[in-house]
Amino acid sequence: MELKLFSLKSVSVPKMVGTDMMMFSSPFTNSGLLIGCKEAAIQSFSCRVTFPKASYSSISQNTVRSVSGEDILFQSYPYRVNGTNGSNMYHRDARVLDAYDDEYNGVIVHSEGLPSNPNAFTSILRSSLSHWKAKGKKGVWLKLPITKSEFVPIAVKEGFQYHHAEREYVMMTYWIPEEPCLLPSNASHQVGVGSFVINEKNEVLVVQEKYCATGLTGLWKIPTGFILESEEIFTGAVREVKEETGIDSEFVEVIAFRHAHNVAFEKSDLFFICMLRPLSTKIMVDDHEIQAAKWMPLVEFVKQPSIQEDTMFKKIIDICIARMGKCYCGLAVHQLASKFDGRLSSLYFNIVEDKSSNCRAS
Amino acid sequence: MELKLFSLKSVSVPKMVGTDMMMFSSPFTNSGLLIGCKEAAIQSFSCRVTFPKASYSSISQNTVRSVSGEDILFQSYPYRVNGTNGSNMYHRDARVLDAYDDEYNGVIVHSEGLPSNPNAFTSILRSSLSHWKAKGKKGVWLKLPITKSEFVPIAVKEGFQYHHAEREYVMMTYWIPEEPCLLPSNASHQVGVGSFVINEKNEVLVVQEKYCATGLTGLWKIPTGFILESEEIFTGAVREVKEETGIDSEFVEVIAFRHAHNVAFEKSDLFFICMLRPLSTKIMVDDHEIQAAKWMPLVEFVKQPSIQEDTMFKKIIDICIARMGKCYCGLAVHQLASKFDGRLSSLYFNIVEDKSSNCRAS
């Protein structure tokens, strides 16, 4: 029960759970919010905000707290059940939008409580902002479903900015104080995986892309792709191999990862190179995207000019060879629970105590 | 010059560069787009799309190609310079929105070319969609700056969906074909860092949060935070330490990382635990967020109940102790260039050849 309660609560704290855990502090503390908020503020500066960089360090407890407003939006019931702050309640005033106060002096508009017509929305949004300003509120979160898209320009006219959007909604925010906006940013990274599947004969599972630039026709490469929403790195690596080649495999280790920036929509990219152990041998090519797949002797694979001529690719192959020679320590995955968010999550590290570990350091 | 050209091009391919590199194929190939597109489609399914999961594998070269449309939007000049496809040109037809064809049968509306009034936009958007449908186009990318927010509901009425949003714009998309939408998703992860700064006396640099849940008052933790937009993990770890404690340090290794899901805005979280070497000793506390900071004997640090009682925290400490005993291999960082995108990026791996490596495997 305690775990459940933690889980509900922690899931609801935007951008804070992951760090909170490693901070050795609980999602119930403000510390995670504080750091997350500060970081978010800095991220904002590096986007388009014109506040002086110095100012993001002038964080007050109140401004910080509004970061957690979001959680009520998505997790209102557990939040309210767990909440210790009596201020968690609806505004009943007809001139004020149906909204929650969060525990941190922020306001979260209740999407389901939005009026149906634009004129009504215009006037109630205005009176709501005056009301919240008068009450010394900080951040306002307004989630507009796509069915209410006509409210977007109205909110913009009143000073709201876009925060993030998913297919079915746009999240808008309004920062009331004069001081710099300290609301958190949206996700910053995409995550890809590459799978080195190497059998006992030192043969690498390689594929040829169906749609390939002329210069690279005939190049043999490892299976790769992006992990799915909420997918584990180790399952994504196995899935990609199965989809492209029909080969069953098991994850062994993350042997390296690459960090690149300004890749997609000005976001960053983390790419995890995984070593996998094959569990089957018969290749069945996915003919939608793959021209051919085969087991290729490592030596031949490395000989390919596109690899020999590229510093990074060459280095990655060197690492794989070192790993195969038990002269390298990759990161294995372990599912561990933490009482601070009551959930299992994946921790990638060397198997320190495990005798079968290839890390023979002593 | 070649690098420059590669760089311009590769930066412009959404979500593909990172994976393309590890795919051992060039950003010029469709392969990256194909995989990225497929992944994006799958990600869409796991969002709100109702197409059967099976259908994402039915990818045609054309549908796939529209993924790269985005690049023209952000990188039109290099794209057009590099483009080998004659179809890269403005539509001059007054009844059709000023747009680019991409090389992959997609259409990217030129934001600067949008009409100024909503009625004009309504009629030209309609005739544009008919025009593009008639021409067998696939994905349509419409980036609406916040100054044109009144166009949002118009686009929604015509069937556009939200793709993503940043402070100053919302990106909308329209998928023309009957088949499942194969446009890529937005970023899926946030990235945090935790810094273990351990001196030669086995003292850990720890902080006490200023705003801390009653139950955790007095807890000593390591400095943590989120990395900034386009910031490296190794610089983010050093920055956090400096900001919170005033201590200068140098990055040694990523010793482990944690992957958690559904953390913020339904996105995932990657948290990197870094080992750092202190370069100074005098602590200056950031009194905005930190109550106190000090050098704490590792033994005392580990003894804290909040750590002893938590599986994950305990494991992380075990790893750090193993690392200090040279019985663990973390991942060091190396800046490497790849000719395939002509940029430096960070590859994290064991120092295989380096004699000073603590990985004594042989």
Side-chain angles (χ1 to χ4, degrees):
Chain A
M1 179 53 201
E2 185 196 7
L3 288 187
K4 178 72 173 165
L5 181 146
F6 269 102
S7 175
L8 287 166
K9 175 69 182 180
S10 60
V11 168
S12 71
V13 181
K15 305 194 70 166
M16 304 314 144
V17 176
T19 301
D20 259 332
M21 288 194 60
M22 299 312 171
M23 288 164 67
F24 302 173
S25 63
S26 153
F28 288 98
T29 67
N30 296 337
S31 52
L33 308 180
L34 184 52
I35 285 180
C37 190
K38 183 192 67 178
E39 296 310 315
I42 303 165
Q43 286 176 21
S44 301
F45 293 122
S46 54
C47 290
R48 283 168 205 78
V49 183
T50 57
F51 305 118
K53 188 171 189 302
S55 59
Y56 64 69
S57 61
S58 63
I59 295 172
S60 77
Q61 189 169 359
N62 287 343
T63 55
V64 165
R65 288 173 158 179
S66 56
V67 172
S68 79
E70 181 73 2
D71 62 358
I72 303 177
L73 200 60
F74 295 124
Q75 296 289 333
S76 56
Y77 298 111
Y79 191 99
R80 282 151 67 201
V81 168
N82 302 343
T84 54
N85 184 326
S87 71
N88 290 337
M89 58 185 194
Y90 286 101
H91 289 295
R92 296 297 179 195
D93 184 341
R95 292 165 298 113
V96 178
L97 278 164
D98 187 6
Y100 296 105
D101 293 340
D102 62 25
E103 292 181 54
Y104 312 112
N105 214 16
V107 176
I108 305 93
V109 176
H110 192 243
S111 300
E112 288 64 33
L114 293 168
S116 53
N117 106 29
N119 294 336
F121 179 69
T122 308
S123 67
I124 197 171
L125 184 59
R126 264 184 212 153
S127 55
S128 300
L129 283 171
S130 314
H131 175 83
W132 294 325
K133 283 173 184 171
K135 290 194 112 190
K137 295 298 174 189
K138 306 281 183 176
V140 180
W141 295 86
L142 175 63
K143 184 183 185 182
L144 293 176
I146 197 161
T147 53
K148 290 274 201 291
S149 63
E150 68 274 26
F151 291 5
V152 172
I154 296 169
V156 169
K157 264 198 204 72
E158 296 305 318
F160 279 80
Q161 290 183 306
Y162 300 126
H163 182 274
H164 69 279
E166 298 296 337
R167 191 177 293 263
E168 299 294 344
Y169 74 87
V170 60
M171 178 71 77
M172 305 191 71
T173 54
Y174 186 102
W175 184 250
I176 293 174
E178 287 307 309
E179 58 204 278
C181 171
L182 294 175
L183 299 175
S185 295
N186 195 9
S188 58
H189 285 65
Q190 63 195 29
V191 176
V193 289
S195 302
F196 268 96
V197 187
I198 304 181
N199 65 22
E200 292 170 344
K201 293 180 281 182
N202 276 5
E203 294 171 326
V204 188
L205 181 62
V206 291
V207 299
Q208 274 181 342
E209 299 291 338
K210 202 156 196 167
Y211 312 115
C212 182
T214 327
L216 291 162
T217 309
L219 173 75
W220 294 95
K221 53 172 285 294
I222 61 170
T224 57
F226 290 101
I227 65 173
L228 313 184
E229 186 178 280
S230 298
E231 185 179 39
E232 298 292 339
I233 289 163
F234 62 90
T235 47
V238 168
R239 176 186 50 76
E240 277 298 329
V241 169
K242 181 68 175 179
E243 284 177 5
E244 294 190 6
T245 69
I247 294 292
D248 298 307
S249 62
E250 66 180 352
F251 174 86
V252 178
E253 285 174 0
V254 165
I255 58 166
F257 68 88
R258 171 181 174 270
H259 198 194
H261 304 290
N262 302 311
V263 175
F265 310 125
E266 299 154 353
K267 302 285 184 171
S268 297
D269 179 281
L270 273 164
F271 186 84
F272 293 87
I273 301 117
C274 305
M275 174 112 14
L276 281 72
R277 185 175 299 117
L279 298 176
S280 67
T281 55
K282 188 167 185 296
I283 290 171
M284 283 174 295
V285 171
D286 164 17
D287 58 12
H288 293 297
E289 63 177 85
I290 302 299
Q291 182 63 46
K294 67 174 181 178
W295 292 102
M296 186 183 213
L298 182 61
V299 184
E300 279 181 44
F301 179 64
V302 178
K303 270 189 192 155
Q304 297 184 100
S306 308
I307 291 170
Q308 283 299 321
E309 294 160 12
D310 194 85
T311 319
M312 182 165 292
F313 298 168
K314 186 71 171 56
K315 170 58 69 180
I316 290 165
I317 301 292
D318 290 345
I319 292 169
C320 293
I321 293 172
R323 173 62 183 80
M324 292 168 66
K326 307 281 188 199
C327 186
Y328 186 87
C329 306
L331 306 181
V333 65
H334 297 257
Q335 299 275 307
L336 294 175
S338 175
K339 68 171 189 170
F340 287 127
D341 67 355
R343 67 166 86 186
L344 276 178
S345 54
S346 302
L347 189 67
Y348 290 78
F349 59 94
N350 288 169
I351 306 163
V352 183
E353 356 28 25
D354 187 343
K355 294 280 174 293
S356 72
S357 167
N358 69 302
C359 183
R360 304 237 185 80
S362 58
Chain B
M1 179 53 202
E2 184 195 8
L3 290 186
K4 179 74 174 164
L5 181 144
F6 270 102
S7 175
L8 287 166
K9 175 68 181 181
S10 59
V11 167
S12 69
V13 181
K15 304 194 71 165
M16 305 312 145
V17 177
T19 301
D20 258 333
M21 288 196 60
M22 299 312 171
M23 288 165 66
F24 301 173
S25 63
S26 154
F28 288 99
T29 67
N30 297 339
S31 51
L33 308 181
L34 184 51
I35 285 179
C37 190
K38 182 191 68 179
E39 297 311 315
I42 302 165
Q43 286 175 21
S44 301
F45 292 124
S46 54
C47 290
R48 281 168 207 75
V49 183
T50 57
F51 305 118
K53 189 170 188 304
S55 59
Y56 65 70
S57 60
S58 62
I59 295 172
S60 79
Q61 189 169 1
N62 287 343
T63 55
V64 166
R65 288 173 157 180
S66 55
V67 172
S68 79
E70 182 73 1
D71 62 357
I72 304 177
L73 198 61
F74 296 123
Q75 297 287 335
S76 56
Y77 299 111
Y79 191 100
R80 282 150 67 201
V81 169
N82 301 344
T84 54
N85 184 328
S87 70
N88 290 338
M89 58 185 194
Y90 286 101
H91 289 293
R92 296 298 181 195
D93 184 341
R95 293 165 296 112
V96 178
L97 278 164
D98 187 6
Y100 295 105
D101 292 341
D102 63 25
E103 292 182 53
Y104 311 113
N105 215 16
V107 176
I108 306 92
V109 176
H110 192 242
S111 301
E112 289 65 33
L114 292 168
S116 52
N117 108 21
N119 294 337
F121 179 69
T122 308
S123 67
I124 197 171
L125 183 59
R126 265 185 210 150
S127 55
S128 301
L129 283 171
S130 314
H131 175 83
W132 295 325
K133 284 173 182 171
K135 289 193 112 190
K137 296 297 174 189
K138 306 282 184 176
V140 179
W141 295 87
L142 175 64
K143 184 184 185 182
L144 293 176
I146 197 161
T147 52
K148 290 274 202 290
S149 62
E150 68 274 27
F151 291 4
V152 172
I154 297 169
V156 170
K157 264 197 205 71
E158 296 305 319
F160 278 79
Q161 290 183 306
Y162 300 125
H163 182 274
H164 70 280
E166 298 296 338
R167 191 177 293 261
E168 298 294 343
Y169 74 88
V170 59
M171 178 72 76
M172 306 191 70
T173 54
Y174 186 103
W175 183 250
I176 293 174
E178 287 306 309
E179 58 205 276
C181 171
L182 294 175
L183 298 175
S185 295
N186 195 10
S188 58
H189 284 65
Q190 64 195 29
V191 176
V193 288
S195 302
F196 267 96
V197 187
I198 303 181
N199 66 21
E200 292 170 344
K201 293 180 278 182
N202 277 5
E203 293 171 326
V204 188
L205 181 62
V206 291
V207 299
Q208 273 182 343
E209 300 290 338
K210 202 158 196 165
Y211 312 115
C212 182
T214 327
L216 290 161
T217 308
L219 173 75
W220 294 96
K221 53 172 286 294
I222 61 170
T224 58
F226 290 101
I227 64 173
L228 313 183
E229 187 177 281
S230 298
E231 184 179 41
E232 298 292 338
I233 290 163
F234 62 90
T235 48
V238 168
R239 177 186 49 76
E240 276 299 329
V241 169
K242 181 68 175 179
E243 285 177 5
E244 295 189 6
T245 70
I247 293 293
D248 298 308
S249 61
E250 67 180 351
F251 173 87
V252 178
E253 286 174 0
V254 164
I255 59 165
F257 67 90
R258 171 181 173 271
H259 198 194
H261 304 289
N262 303 309
V263 175
F265 309 125
E266 301 156 351
K267 302 285 185 171
S268 297
D269 179 281
L270 274 164
F271 187 83
F272 294 87
I273 302 116
C274 304
M275 175 123 356
L276 281 72
R277 185 176 300 115
L279 298 176
S280 67
T281 55
K282 188 168 185 296
I283 290 171
M284 282 174 295
V285 171
D286 165 17
D287 58 12
H288 292 298
E289 65 177 85
I290 302 300
Q291 182 63 44
K294 67 175 182 179
W295 292 101
M296 187 183 212
L298 182 62
V299 183
E300 278 181 43
F301 179 63
V302 178
K303 268 189 194 157
Q304 297 185 100
S306 308
I307 292 171
Q308 284 299 321
E309 294 160 11
D310 194 85
T311 319
M312 182 166 292
F313 299 166
K314 186 70 172 54
K315 169 58 69 178
I316 290 165
I317 301 292
D318 290 345
I319 292 169
C320 293
I321 294 171
R323 173 62 183 82
M324 292 168 67
K326 306 283 188 199
C327 185
Y328 185 87
C329 306
L331 306 181
V333 64
H334 297 257
Q335 298 276 309
L336 293 175
S338 174
K339 68 170 188 170
F340 287 128
D341 69 353
R343 68 166 86 185
L344 276 177
S345 54
S346 302
L347 190 67
Y348 290 77
F349 59 94
N350 287 169
I351 307 163
V352 184
E353 329 70 355
D354 187 344
K355 293 282 174 292
S356 72
S357 168
N358 69 304
C359 182
R360 304 237 186 80
S362 60

